[in-house]
Amino acid sequence: MNLNYTAEELAFRDEVRAFLDEKLPADIAAKVKGFRRLSKEDHQRWQKILNEQGWYATHWPEEYGGVNWSPVQKHIWDEESSRYGAPRSVPFGVNMVAPVIIKFGTEEQKQRYLPRILTGEDWWCQGYSEPGAGSDLASLKTRAVRDGDHYIVNGQKTWTTLGQHANMIFCLVRTNTEVKAQEGISFLLMDMDTPGITVRPIITLDGEHEVNEVFFEDVKVPVENLVGEEDKGWTYAKYLLTYERTGLAGIGISKAALQHLKELATRRTKNGRPLIEDASFSQRIAKVEIDLMAASISNLRIIASVEGGGMPGAESSMLKVRGTEIRQTINDLARRAIGPYAIPFVEEEMDLDYDGDFLSDENAAPVTPQYFNNRKLSIFGGSNEIQKNIVSKMILGL
Amino acid sequence: MDFRLNEEQQMLQDTVARLVRGEYSFEKRLEYSESELGFSADFWKQLGELGLTAVPFPEELGGFGGTGVEVQSVMTELGRGLCIEPYLQSVVLGGGLISQAGNSEQHEQWLGGIASGETQAAVGLQEPQSFYDLNDVEARAEKSGDGYVLNGRKAVVIGGHCADVLVVSARTSGDSRDADGISLFLISADAEGLDHRTYPTIDGSKGSDLFLNNVKLGPDALLGEEGKAAEVIEYQAGRAISALCGEAVGAMEVACDLTLEYLKQRKQFGVPIGKFQVLQHRMVDMMSELEQARSMAILAASVADEPQSDERRRILAAAKNVIGRSGQFISEQGVQSHGGIGMTWEYNFAHYAKRLVMINHQLGDDDFHLERFAALLQ
Ligand SMILES: Cc1cc2nc3c(=O)[nH]c(=O)nc-3n(C[C@H](O)[C@H](O)[C@H](O)COP(=O)(O)OP(=O)(O)OC[C@H]3O[C@@H](n4cnc5c(N)ncnc54)[C@H](O)[C@@H]3O)c2cc1C
Ligand SMILES: Cc1cc2nc3c(=O)[nH]c(=O)nc-3n(C[C@H](O)[C@H](O)[C@H](O)COP(=O)(O)OP(=O)(O)OC[C@H]3O[C@@H](n4cnc5c(N)ncnc54)[C@H](O)[C@@H]3O)c2cc1C
């Protein structure tokens, strides 16, 4: 047993740090660290820098412009980039649709879409969920009917994250109603500008516009936009979900959030002393830090087990549950740390170019909205209940 | 022993319930919330006309002489409707502080208006550094002639932006966190040197931080005995905690009803999601949290207007601890049981979820009251 990085891995970490020191724009890092809003332009600026470095597509094969890092290297990157306040890449293009295209797509699809993902020309969103198909994704109803060299698509997707920025959407659609639900689904790529597609915002409880409804009315999609075989979309979707789940534990983000919490608790006061010196509050912080320490080792154990290739199994479901609970606890403590100032909703202070006085603390304004927004962590990417169902079925045989 | 409301109390609660049902649809609430005032002037007026703002005041003022029980009856229904009018601030706290500490001229000047709803009061008892400790007062009141000059800042004054009169604490002697040396002052909204920073709140109402810059006050602005306000503040905060318990129970009832209804109606995997045992048990846990909260609200109401004692302190700390925890539990687990829909602005459940968590940040959260309770362990 050896819990240390190898010499090569340490050298890689130094390289990552040097890159982040030099290239990560300070204004973007300040936004990420203060949990402020990132614009589409912020994401694109950082993506361009990463792409120039050749580090944008970390798990693509090199022939398509990826770096093909080992799981440990990816882990080092996640930890370091979170610690520095680099934005998480919006996953829908680079981490979701791309692996599916690489594994199941045609050569033309690879040539057409992959370079555009690298350069940021295309912004993808994920059209899986529907009003009637959430946890029970296979019950989806959006219909695609073959008509010559096109599909005609009708139906509705919902909860489409950042769909308002996207020009491309990958969808699960029903192409066959005669067979078992899972067997009649296809994986279809669509240009959001196609006539018949309408995007409507959904405002979440924190007042943000992050998710959308997407409506399809007689949308004509060329058949060459089908990925893989017709009616085999469920297989591809499941392949993608395993990819999605591994990143969802958010260990690196939790470490950064914990740091943020400690800074907040150092500046806020109770009984005339910094809150972090308060016995009961510091113990609450300590408890979540200990949980995070354990979860981060669990994360490394999973990483080490797939170092030789392959995908993590159902253990990543347990880690997703733990990881999201930990992050939600950190958000809860940050809200507690600002006491009565959890109540004001000072939206203007959530923009980085705000140059007025801060109502209480420079990092306080996003705290309560973030707490409410992150209730989503235990709902999306397969709700925590569904993850536990997976563990009891796959690991426990129940 | 009888835990039921008597006939009069039940009639009172029914009156409020009818009014809220008629005037406070979810859509209207959003409109009220987004208005400049931040609540409905018309609804407030109706609360006044029906005598509801007078409930805790004596009969001479058109009131019911109501105790904690009557106040909770009103607050529970306001909680069910998620009403954002400043009843707690103006009637319970503002009116309560003036009643207890004021002299007859001050009673005459203010209480009639507060009881009828024509005058709106707000209270500034917290400060940026104070966390939830109401004795942590750094705002200063210096003697000047026969009056006072006030300097300092009061934090998160709900309804402060539009109140006619502000009741604020300031130090006339002593050090930052001494109980001794705190005084209460009445400041009219147009006082020179009084500035506001106004903001909406997470849960849909409005408030402000008050900046006191050489606010000059006459001798009649001092409320109660100089330097002796800590006890009054603690007592009235206790009444307000009992009132908040009522509001919280009302909001929790609706949050639980909405969740239960959704569990029956939402289908996934071909069955209502309420068929999944994990959600059934969670719903049971939510209901039993609500029952815990109901019990503590009843207990709190029973001591709210009793003379101060360690037993009253213990009960009120315990009650606020329980509603803080149960409110957060019902909020979080209710959202989770709904899935994505529970997080959306256009669905009323999400607004109950927010209010329930914000109640924990008013007058001390569950941690704060756990400490208070622990300090009084017998
Ligand atoms: C902020 C946000 C962003 C999202 N982004 C996207 C996106 O970009 N693209 C996309 O396609 N989707 C997205 N989603 C959708 C997300 O994947 C779904 O919300 C999720 O699958 C849950 O579905 P649902 O909301 O319909 O809840 P439901 O499936 O209706 O679940 C309601 C409750 O029932 C429980 N439940 C359901 N089935 C079972 C069972 N068998 N056993 C036990 N409990 C069960 C759930 O755990 C939950 O507690 C997003 C959601 C949110 C909130
Ligand atoms: C100290 C003690 C004293 C007792 N005294 C008496 C007595 O005086 N007279 C008498 O007749 N009996 C007595 N009992 C027996 C007691 O009533 C049973 O233990 C009890 O009914 C549970 O049955 P079981 O032990 O067979 O567990 P099981 O019924 O086998 O249950 C095992 C586990 O499965 C869970 N479970 C079972 N069904 C479900 C379901 N549908 N959904 C979810 N979870 C489920 C249970 O909650 C439990 O966690 C006593 C038991 C103990 C431990």
Side-chain angles (χ1 to χ4, degrees):
Chain A
M1 205 171 283
N2 178 1
L3 270 61
N4 299 315
Y5 288 134
T6 63
E8 296 83 64
E9 286 160 352
L10 285 174
F12 175 73
R13 192 177 68 182
D14 289 340
E15 192 189 348
V16 165
R17 287 180 179 174
F19 167 74
L20 289 166
D21 274 327
E22 192 191 338
K23 294 286 171 59
L24 176 62
D27 60 322
I28 292 183
K31 283 191 189 181
V32 172
K33 285 190 166 169
F35 294 106
R36 293 192 169 77
R37 293 188 181 117
L38 288 174
S39 66
K40 180 176 185 181
E41 187 275 331
D42 291 327
H43 282 292
Q44 286 175 327
R45 185 151 49 108
W46 177 233
Q47 167 171 353
K48 194 153 174 281
I49 295 169
L50 280 179
N51 192 38
E52 275 161 12
Q53 177 76 7
W55 285 2
Y56 182 58
T58 55
H59 36 342
W60 299 10
E62 273 149 280
E63 53 179 314
Y64 299 115
V67 270
N68 212 2
W69 278 338
S70 72
V72 173
Q73 283 177 307
K74 260 180 269 171
H75 170 73
I76 290 173
W77 169 254
D78 281 344
E79 293 258 308
E80 295 299 321
S81 60
S82 298
R83 200 166 63 82
Y84 273 76
R88 304 281 294 178
S89 295
V90 177
F92 307 112
V94 63
N95 293 337
M96 293 192 178
V97 76
V100 173
I101 292 175
I102 290 170
K103 192 159 168 87
F104 305 105
T106 60
E107 199 48 41
E108 293 80 67
Q109 285 169 340
K110 291 176 198 171
Q111 295 307 331
R112 175 173 169 77
Y113 294 114
L114 297 179
R116 295 166 64 91
I117 289 174
L118 285 178
T119 59
E121 247 173 296
D122 285 342
W123 182 302
W124 286 85
C125 62
Q126 178 186 25
Y128 275 25
S129 305
E130 297 181 5
S135 298
D136 184 12
L137 184 58
S139 70
L140 61 94
K141 290 204 170 64
T142 297
R143 191 84 170 87
V145 180
R146 181 77 182 260
D147 178 19
D149 50 7
H150 283 86
Y151 287 101
I152 307 296
V153 179
N154 280 287
Q156 185 197 341
K157 295 294 173 181
T158 192
W159 309 120
T160 320
T161 299
L162 299 182
Q164 72 267 36
H165 297 329
N167 65 317
M168 293 298 295
I169 182 167
F170 59 94
C171 284
L172 294 180
V173 292
R174 183 154 306 282
T175 36
N176 192 340
T177 51
E178 309 292 303
V179 289
K180 233 181 92 195
Q182 286 83 348
E183 287 161 13
I185 292 170
S186 299
F187 197 103
L188 206 55
L189 313 177
M190 295 185 222
D191 189 323
M192 298 282 279
D193 287 333
T194 321
I197 298 185
T198 323
V199 179
R200 270 197 226 143
I202 298 175
I203 304 302
T204 42
L205 78 176
D206 52 334
E208 286 292 313
H209 175 198
E210 178 176 305
V211 287
N212 301 272
E213 296 178 290
V214 183
F215 297 88
F216 303 87
E217 215 189 312
D218 293 329
V219 180
K220 272 181 83 173
V221 183
V223 283
E224 61 262 28
N225 286 19
L226 177 75
V227 176
E229 285 175 57
E230 198 175 270
D231 293 351
K232 290 279 188 299
W234 189 248
T235 317
Y236 315 147
K238 279 206 303 198
Y239 173 76
L240 184 159
L241 280 177
T242 357
Y243 261 98
E244 187 180 356
R245 220 158 271 157
T246 45
L248 283 173
I251 301 293
I253 304 181
S254 281
K255 286 186 178 172
L258 181 68
Q259 190 53 35
H260 178 263
L261 166 64
K262 287 179 180 170
E263 288 164 16
L264 207 51
T266 305
R267 292 194 297 264
R268 302 310 299 166
T269 54
K270 180 180 171 193
N271 296 328
R273 308 284 314 153
L275 180 59
I276 200 158
E277 292 174 16
D278 177 72
S280 62
F281 201 80
S282 66
Q283 284 175 13
R284 272 184 177 264
I285 296 180
K287 185 161 179 285
V288 73
E289 181 161 356
I290 290 168
D291 281 341
L292 178 56
M293 192 183 277
S296 94
I297 297 298
S298 302
N299 190 36
L300 283 172
R301 284 167 56 210
I302 291 179
I303 287 167
S305 73
V306 296
E307 180 73 21
M311 296 297 289
E315 306 79 43
S316 64
S317 288
M318 278 193 267
L319 194 61
K320 191 257 171 178
V321 173
R322 273 292 163 162
T324 53
E325 285 171 354
I326 287 170
R327 235 168 108 199
Q328 289 175 335
T329 303
I330 295 172
N331 288 155
D332 174 44
L333 291 182
R335 201 194 74 243
R336 287 169 182 272
I338 57 177
Y341 281 112
I343 297 175
F345 183 38
V346 268
E347 241 187 320
E348 64 275 14
E349 290 183 17
M350 287 162 69
D351 290 320
L352 195 68
D353 44 18
Y354 175 75
D355 59 359
D357 291 333
F358 288 100
L359 183 63
S360 57
D361 185 279
E362 56 176 319
N363 284 336
V367 164
T368 310
Q370 179 93 40
Y371 159 79
F372 283 111
N373 184 283
N374 273 346
R375 300 315 304 169
K376 73 187 174 193
L377 299 177
S378 45
I379 295 172
F380 68 13
S383 73
N384 285 11
E385 289 77 15
I386 295 296
Q387 304 292 351
K388 289 181 190 176
N389 287 351
I390 293 172
V391 175
S392 38
K393 202 163 142 190
M394 308 298 286
I395 300 186
L396 306 177
L398 290 171
Chain B
M1 219 172 263
D2 185 0
F3 287 101
R4 287 167 307 178
L5 297 178
N6 66 30
E7 207 175 312
E8 258 182 51
Q9 292 162 338
Q10 191 59 56
M11 269 169 58
L12 172 66
Q13 185 153 349
D14 292 346
T15 305
V16 189
R18 261 195 312 276
L19 181 66
V20 170
R21 263 202 311 276
E23 297 291 315
Y24 239 90
S25 68
F26 175 57
E27 293 71 28
K28 279 193 187 162
R29 176 184 184 267
L30 287 182
E31 267 173 47
Y32 303 154
S33 168
E34 281 161 18
S35 70
E36 173 136 9
L37 182 63
F39 59 88
S40 165
D42 190 54
F43 183 75
W44 183 250
K45 200 162 150 236
Q46 293 188 56
L47 287 176
E49 283 165 2
L50 288 169
L52 299 170
T53 43
V55 163
F57 298 101
E59 282 169 30
E60 308 89 84
L61 291 167
F64 281 71
T67 66
V69 178
E70 283 78 13
V71 169
Q72 267 192 9
S73 298
V74 177
M75 288 292 288
T76 300
E77 293 306 321
L78 295 180
R80 290 183 62 91
L82 220 50
C83 301
I84 44 185
E85 284 62 33
Y87 193 91
L88 180 79
Q89 284 72 26
S90 187
V91 175
V92 182
L93 266 173
L97 289 167
I98 295 171
S99 294
Q100 187 184 349
N103 54 37
S104 51
E105 287 88 63
Q106 288 165 329
H107 285 179
E108 188 129 332
Q109 188 178 357
W110 297 110
L111 290 185
I114 291 175
S116 71
E118 281 152 307
T119 301
Q120 186 206 322
V123 292
L125 303 174
Q126 310 174 111
E127 299 188 354
Q129 83 292 341
S130 69
F131 211 54
Y132 298 113
D133 179 4
L134 301 182
N135 288 346
D136 191 336
V137 175
E138 290 184 357
R140 298 213 72 92
E142 308 284 347
K143 263 253 177 325
S144 159
D146 59 354
Y148 297 87
V149 178
L150 266 61
N151 279 290
R153 176 172 170 187
K154 307 309 288 188
V156 195
V157 182
I158 304 298
H161 63 294
C162 59
D164 304 296
V165 60
L166 294 145
V167 185
V168 304
S169 56
R171 196 162 277 293
T172 38
S173 66
D175 283 331
S176 287
R177 288 176 305 286
D178 291 349
D180 221 35
I182 299 170
S183 304
L184 282 169
F185 295 91
L186 291 157
I187 308 179
S188 81
D190 56 6
E192 217 165 296
L194 168 67
D195 286 320
H196 293 269
R197 176 161 171 190
T198 299
Y199 36 75
T201 64
I202 297 283
D203 48 3
S205 62
K206 268 189 178 164
S208 63
D209 270 30
L210 309 180
F211 295 84
L212 309 166
N213 300 308
N214 291 318
V215 176
K216 295 190 180 58
L217 299 174
D220 55 339
L222 178 70
L223 188 63
E225 206 182 325
E226 188 182 284
K228 297 285 175 232
E231 277 176 28
V232 181
I233 292 170
E234 189 195 4
Y235 187 81
Q236 293 300 328
R239 287 180 67 243
I241 283 174
S242 165
L244 261 179
C245 287
E247 184 190 350
V249 165
M252 284 184 223
E253 286 171 356
V254 179
C256 285
D257 289 348
L258 288 170
T259 307
L260 180 57
E261 211 176 291
Y262 193 75
L263 291 185
K264 292 177 179 168
Q265 163 216 323
R266 168 71 169 172
K267 285 195 173 147
Q268 288 290 276
F269 304 98
V271 293
I273 56 174
K275 289 283 172 215
F276 300 125
Q277 196 172 56
V278 61
L279 298 189
Q280 291 170 347
H281 287 193
R282 181 172 302 150
M283 191 70 234
V284 172
D285 289 341
M286 288 167 67
M287 294 305 294
S288 79
E289 286 291 325
L290 169 58
E291 291 305 334
Q292 290 282 90
R294 276 197 180 118
S295 295
M296 289 311 290
I298 291 171
L299 192 56
S302 76
V303 298
D305 289 270
E306 292 298 308
Q308 185 65 294
S309 65
D310 274 355
E311 192 53 18
R312 179 179 181 272
R313 289 190 175 98
R314 277 161 46 83
I315 287 173
L316 292 167
K320 191 63 172 63
N321 172 266
V322 167
I323 63 157
R325 285 189 285 137
S326 51
Q328 181 171 345
F329 183 86
I330 288 171
S331 169
E332 291 181 351
Q333 299 308 317
V335 170
Q336 183 68 24
S337 301
H338 276 86
I341 200 83
M343 295 192 43
T344 55
W345 188 275
E346 63 183 35
Y347 178 38
N348 58 356
F349 176 84
H351 298 265
Y352 286 93
K354 290 196 285 184
R355 179 64 192 138
L356 285 173
V357 174
M358 291 301 100
I359 285 176
N360 204 15
H361 289 270
Q362 280 178 286
L363 298 166
D365 66 5
D366 53 309
D367 289 338
F368 178 82
H369 286 286
L370 186 68
E371 257 173 55
R372 271 178 73 92
F373 189 87
L376 293 163
L377 278 186
Q378 288 166 342

